[in-house]
Coordinates of all heavy atoms in Angstrom, one line a residue:
Chain A
C237 N 24.9 15.1 280.3 CA 25.3 14.5 281.5 C 25.8 15.5 282.6 O 26.5 16.4 282.2 CB 26.4 13.5 281.3 SG 25.8 12.0 280.4
A238 N 25.5 15.2 283.8 CA 25.9 16.1 284.9 C 27.2 15.5 285.4 O 27.6 14.3 285.1 CB 24.9 16.1 286.0
D239 N 27.9 16.3 286.3 CA 29.2 15.8 286.9 C 29.0 14.4 287.5 O 29.8 13.5 287.3 CB 29.6 16.8 288.0 CG 30.2 18.1 287.5 OD1 30.7 18.0 286.3 OD2 30.2 19.1 288.2
L240 N 27.9 14.2 288.2 CA 27.7 13.0 288.9 C 27.7 11.8 288.0 O 28.2 10.7 288.2 CB 26.5 13.0 289.8 CG 26.3 11.9 290.8 CD1 27.4 11.8 291.7 CD2 25.0 12.0 291.5
D241 N 27.0 12.0 286.8 CA 26.9 10.9 285.8 C 28.3 10.5 285.3 O 28.7 9.3 285.2 CB 26.1 11.4 284.6 CG 24.7 11.8 285.0 OD1 24.1 11.1 285.8 OD2 24.2 12.8 284.4
W242 N 29.1 11.5 285.0 CA 30.5 11.2 284.5 C 31.4 10.6 285.6 O 32.2 9.7 285.4 CB 31.2 12.5 284.1 CG 30.6 13.1 282.8 CD1 30.0 14.3 282.6 CD2 30.5 12.4 281.5 NE1 29.6 14.4 281.3 CE2 29.8 13.3 280.6 CE3 30.8 11.1 281.1 CZ2 29.5 12.9 279.3 CZ3 30.5 10.7 279.8 CH2 29.9 11.7 278.9
I243 N 31.2 11.1 286.9 CA 32.0 10.5 288.0 C 31.6 9.0 288.1 O 32.5 8.1 288.3 CB 31.7 11.3 289.3 CG1 32.3 12.7 289.1 CG2 32.3 10.5 290.5 CD1 32.0 13.6 290.2
R244 N 30.3 8.7 288.0 CA 29.8 7.3 288.1 C 30.5 6.5 286.9 O 30.9 5.4 287.1 CB 28.3 7.2 288.0 CG 27.6 7.7 289.3 CD 26.6 6.6 289.7 NE 26.2 6.9 291.1 CZ 25.3 7.8 291.4 NH1 24.7 8.4 290.5 NH2 25.0 8.0 292.7
Q245 N 30.4 7.0 285.7 CA 31.0 6.3 284.6 C 32.5 6.0 284.8 O 33.0 5.0 284.5 CB 30.8 7.1 283.3 CG 29.4 7.0 282.7 CD 29.3 7.3 281.2 OE1 30.2 6.8 280.4 NE2 28.4 8.1 280.8
C246 N 33.2 7.1 285.2 CA 34.6 6.9 285.4 C 34.9 5.9 286.5 O 36.0 5.3 286.5 CB 35.3 8.3 285.8 SG 35.3 9.4 284.4
S247 N 34.0 5.8 287.5 CA 34.3 4.9 288.6 C 34.6 3.5 288.2 O 35.4 2.7 288.8 CB 33.2 4.9 289.7 OG 32.1 4.2 289.2
T248 N 34.0 3.0 287.1 CA 34.1 1.7 286.6 C 35.5 1.4 286.0 O 35.9 0.3 285.8 CB 33.1 1.3 285.6 OG1 33.3 2.1 284.4 CG2 31.7 1.5 286.1
T249 N 36.2 2.5 285.7 CA 37.6 2.3 285.1 C 38.7 2.1 286.2 O 39.8 1.8 285.8 CB 38.0 3.6 284.3 OG1 38.1 4.7 285.1 CG2 36.9 3.8 283.2
W250 N 38.3 2.3 287.4 CA 39.3 2.1 288.5 C 39.2 0.7 289.1 O 38.2 0.3 289.6 CB 39.1 3.1 289.6 CG 39.4 4.5 289.1 CD1 38.6 5.3 288.3 CD2 40.6 5.2 289.4 NE1 39.2 6.5 288.1 CE2 40.4 6.5 288.7 CE3 41.7 5.0 290.1 CZ2 41.4 7.5 288.7 CZ3 42.7 6.0 290.1 CH2 42.6 7.2 289.4
K251 N 40.4 -0.1 288.9 CA 40.4 -1.5 289.3 C 41.2 -1.6 290.6 O 41.8 -0.6 291.1 CB 41.1 -2.3 288.3 CG 40.6 -2.1 286.9 CD 39.2 -2.7 286.7 CE 38.8 -2.9 285.2 NZ 38.8 -1.6 284.4
G252 N 41.2 -2.7 291.2 CA 41.8 -2.9 292.6 C 43.2 -2.2 292.8 O 43.3 -1.4 293.7
S253 N 44.2 -2.5 292.0 CA 45.5 -2.0 292.3 C 45.7 -0.5 291.9 O 46.7 0.1 292.3 CB 46.6 -2.8 291.4 OG 46.3 -2.6 290.1
D254 N 44.6 0.0 291.3 CA 44.7 1.5 291.0 C 44.4 2.3 292.2 O 44.6 3.5 292.2 CB 43.6 1.8 289.9 CG 44.0 1.2 288.6 OD1 45.2 1.1 288.2 OD2 43.1 0.7 287.9
G255 N 43.8 1.7 293.2 CA 43.4 2.5 294.4 C 42.1 3.2 294.2 O 41.4 2.9 293.2
L256 N 41.7 4.1 295.1 CA 40.5 4.8 295.0 C 40.4 5.6 293.7 O 41.4 6.1 293.2 CB 40.3 5.7 296.2 CG 39.8 5.2 297.5 CD1 39.4 6.4 298.4 CD2 38.5 4.4 297.3
Q257 N 39.2 5.7 293.2 CA 38.9 6.6 292.1 C 39.4 8.0 292.5 O 39.2 8.5 293.6 CB 37.4 6.7 291.7 CG 37.1 7.6 290.6 CD 35.6 7.7 290.4 OE1 34.8 7.1 291.1 NE2 35.2 8.5 289.3
K258 N 39.9 8.8 291.5 CA 40.3 10.2 291.7 C 39.5 11.1 290.8 O 39.3 10.7 289.6 CB 41.8 10.4 291.5 CG 42.7 9.9 292.6 CD 44.1 10.3 292.2 CE 44.4 11.7 292.3 NZ 45.8 12.1 292.1
I259 N 39.1 12.3 291.3 CA 38.7 13.3 290.4 C 39.4 14.6 290.6 O 40.1 14.7 291.6 CB 37.1 13.6 290.5 CG1 36.8 14.1 291.9 CG2 36.3 12.3 290.3 CD1 35.4 14.7 292.1
H260 N 39.4 15.5 289.6 CA 40.0 16.8 289.8 C 38.8 17.8 289.9 O 37.8 17.7 289.1 CB 40.8 17.2 288.6 CG 42.1 16.5 288.5 ND1 43.0 16.7 287.5 CD2 42.7 15.6 289.4 CE1 44.1 15.9 287.7 NE2 43.9 15.3 288.9
Y261 N 38.9 18.6 291.0 CA 37.8 19.6 291.2 C 38.4 21.0 291.2 O 39.4 21.3 291.9 CB 37.1 19.4 292.5 CG 36.0 20.4 292.7 CD1 34.7 20.2 292.2 CD2 36.2 21.5 293.5 CE1 33.7 21.1 292.4 CE2 35.2 22.5 293.7 CZ 34.0 22.3 293.1 OH 33.0 23.2 293.3
S262 N 37.8 21.9 290.3 CA 38.2 23.3 290.4 C 37.1 24.2 290.0 O 36.1 23.7 289.5 CB 39.4 23.5 289.5 OG 39.2 23.1 288.2
Q263 N 37.2 25.4 290.2 CA 36.2 26.4 289.9 C 36.7 27.5 289.0 O 37.9 27.8 289.0 CB 35.6 27.1 291.2 CG 34.9 26.0 292.1 CD 34.6 26.6 293.5 OE1 35.0 27.7 293.8 NE2 33.8 25.8 294.2
Q264 N 35.8 28.0 288.2 CA 36.2 29.1 287.2 C 36.6 30.4 287.9 O 36.0 30.8 288.9 CB 35.0 29.4 286.3 CG 35.2 30.5 285.4 CD 36.3 30.2 284.3 OE1 36.4 29.2 283.8 NE2 37.2 31.2 284.2
H265 N 37.7 30.9 287.5 CA 38.2 32.2 287.9 C 37.2 33.3 287.6 O 36.6 33.2 286.5 CB 39.6 32.5 287.3 CG 40.2 33.7 288.0 ND1 39.9 35.0 287.7 CD2 41.2 33.8 288.9 CE1 40.7 35.8 288.4 NE2 41.5 35.1 289.1
S266 N 36.9 34.2 288.5 CA 35.8 35.2 288.3 C 36.0 36.1 287.1 O 35.0 36.5 286.4 CB 35.7 36.0 289.5 OG 36.9 36.6 289.9
I267 N 37.3 36.4 286.7 CA 37.4 37.3 285.6 C 38.3 36.8 284.5 O 38.2 37.2 283.3 CB 38.0 38.7 286.0 CG1 39.2 38.5 286.9 CG2 36.9 39.5 286.8 CD1 39.8 39.9 287.4
K268 N 39.2 35.8 284.8 CA 40.0 35.3 283.7 C 39.2 34.5 282.7 O 38.1 34.2 282.9 CB 41.2 34.5 284.4 CG 42.2 35.3 285.1 CD 43.4 34.5 285.5 CE 44.3 35.2 286.4 NZ 45.4 34.3 286.9
K269 N 39.9 34.0 281.7 CA 39.2 33.3 280.6 C 38.7 31.9 281.1 O 39.2 31.4 282.1 CB 40.2 33.1 279.4 CG 41.4 32.4 279.7 CD 42.3 32.4 278.4 CE 42.4 33.8 277.9 NZ 43.1 33.8 276.6
P270 N 37.7 31.4 280.3 CA 37.2 30.1 280.7 C 38.2 29.0 280.9 O 39.1 28.9 280.0 CB 36.2 29.8 279.5 CG 35.9 31.1 278.9 CD 37.1 31.9 279.1
G271 N 38.2 28.3 282.0 CA 39.1 27.2 282.2 C 40.2 27.6 283.2 O 40.9 26.8 283.8
A272 N 40.3 29.0 283.5 CA 41.3 29.4 284.4 C 40.8 29.1 285.9 O 39.7 29.3 286.2 CB 41.5 30.9 284.3
H273 N 41.7 28.6 286.7 CA 41.4 28.2 288.1 C 41.2 29.4 288.9 O 41.8 30.4 288.8 CB 42.5 27.3 288.7 CG 42.7 26.0 288.0 ND1 43.9 25.4 287.8 CD2 41.8 25.2 287.3 CE1 43.8 24.3 287.2 NE2 42.5 24.2 286.8
S274 N 40.2 29.3 289.9 CA 39.9 30.3 290.8 C 41.0 30.5 291.8 O 41.8 29.6 292.0 CB 38.6 30.0 291.5 OG 38.7 28.9 292.3
E275 N 41.0 31.7 292.5 CA 42.0 32.0 293.5 C 41.8 31.0 294.7 O 42.7 30.6 295.3 CB 41.8 33.4 294.0 CG 42.2 34.5 293.0 CD 43.7 34.4 292.6 OE1 44.5 34.2 293.5 OE2 44.0 34.6 291.4
S276 N 40.5 30.8 295.0 CA 40.2 30.0 296.2 C 38.9 29.2 295.8 O 38.2 29.5 294.9 CB 39.9 31.0 297.3 OG 39.4 30.3 298.4
I277 N 38.7 28.1 296.6 CA 37.5 27.3 296.4 C 36.3 27.9 297.2 O 36.5 28.1 298.4 CB 37.7 25.8 296.8 CG1 38.8 25.2 295.9 CG2 36.4 25.1 296.7 CD1 38.4 24.9 294.5
R278 N 35.2 28.3 296.5 CA 34.0 28.7 297.2 C 33.4 27.5 297.8 O 33.1 26.5 297.1 CB 33.1 29.4 296.3 CG 33.5 30.9 296.0 CD 32.6 31.6 295.0 NE 32.6 30.9 293.7 CZ 31.6 30.3 293.1 NH1 30.4 30.3 293.6 NH2 31.8 29.8 291.9
I279 N 33.1 27.5 299.1 CA 32.8 26.3 299.8 C 31.4 25.7 299.4 O 31.2 24.5 299.3 CB 32.9 26.4 301.3 CG1 32.9 25.1 302.0 CG2 31.9 27.4 301.9 CD1 34.0 24.1 301.6
D280 N 30.4 26.6 299.1 CA 29.1 26.2 298.9 C 29.0 25.3 297.6 O 28.4 24.2 297.6 CB 28.1 27.3 298.8 CG 27.9 27.9 300.3 OD1 28.2 27.2 301.2 OD2 27.3 29.0 300.4
P281 N 29.5 25.8 296.5 CA 29.4 24.9 295.3 C 30.2 23.6 295.5 O 29.8 22.5 295.0 CB 30.1 25.7 294.2 CG 30.0 27.2 294.7 CD 30.1 27.1 296.1
F282 N 31.3 23.7 296.2 CA 32.0 22.4 296.5 C 31.2 21.4 297.3 O 31.1 20.3 296.9 CB 33.3 22.7 297.3 CG 34.0 21.4 297.7 CD1 34.9 20.8 296.8 CD2 33.9 20.9 299.0 CE1 35.5 19.6 297.2 CE2 34.5 19.7 299.4 CZ 35.3 19.1 298.5
L283 N 30.5 21.9 298.3 CA 29.7 21.1 299.2 C 28.5 20.5 298.4 O 28.0 19.4 298.7 CB 29.2 21.8 300.4 CG 30.3 22.1 301.4 CD1 29.7 22.9 302.6 CD2 31.0 20.8 301.9
E284 N 28.0 21.3 297.4 CA 26.9 20.8 296.6 C 27.3 19.6 295.9 O 26.5 18.6 295.8 CB 26.5 21.9 295.6 CG 25.1 21.8 295.0 CD 24.8 22.9 294.1 OE1 25.1 24.1 294.4 OE2 24.4 22.6 293.0
L285 N 28.5 19.5 295.2 CA 28.9 18.3 294.6 C 29.2 17.2 295.6 O 28.8 16.1 295.4 CB 30.1 18.6 293.7 CG 30.7 17.4 293.0 CD1 29.7 16.9 291.9 CD2 32.0 17.7 292.3
Y286 N 29.9 17.6 296.6 CA 30.4 16.7 297.6 C 29.2 15.9 298.2 O 29.2 14.7 298.4 CB 31.1 17.4 298.8 CG 31.7 16.4 299.8 CD1 32.9 15.8 299.6 CD2 31.0 16.1 300.9 CE1 33.4 14.9 300.5 CE2 31.5 15.2 301.9 CZ 32.7 14.6 301.6 OH 33.2 13.8 302.5
G287 N 28.1 16.7 298.4 CA 26.9 16.1 299.0 C 26.3 15.0 298.1 O 25.7 14.0 298.6

Side-chain angles (χ1 to χ4, degrees):
Chain A
C237 291
D239 283 337
L240 191 59
D241 300 319
W242 292 122
I243 292 168
R244 284 232 167 81
Q245 281 203 48
C246 290
S247 74
T248 64
T249 65
W250 293 77
K251 312 288 196 301
S253 63
D254 294 321
L256 276 191
Q257 178 184 5
K258 283 182 70 172
I259 64 169
H260 288 177
Y261 181 84
S262 54
Q263 295 172 351
Q264 174 62 47
H265 192 282
S266 54
I267 49 180
K268 291 193 189 172
K269 59 183 53 189
H273 295 147
S274 63
E275 292 296 321
S276 174
I277 296 290
R278 281 176 297 120
I279 194 64
D280 288 344
F282 174 81
L283 290 178
E284 198 180 314
L285 179 67
Y286 185 85

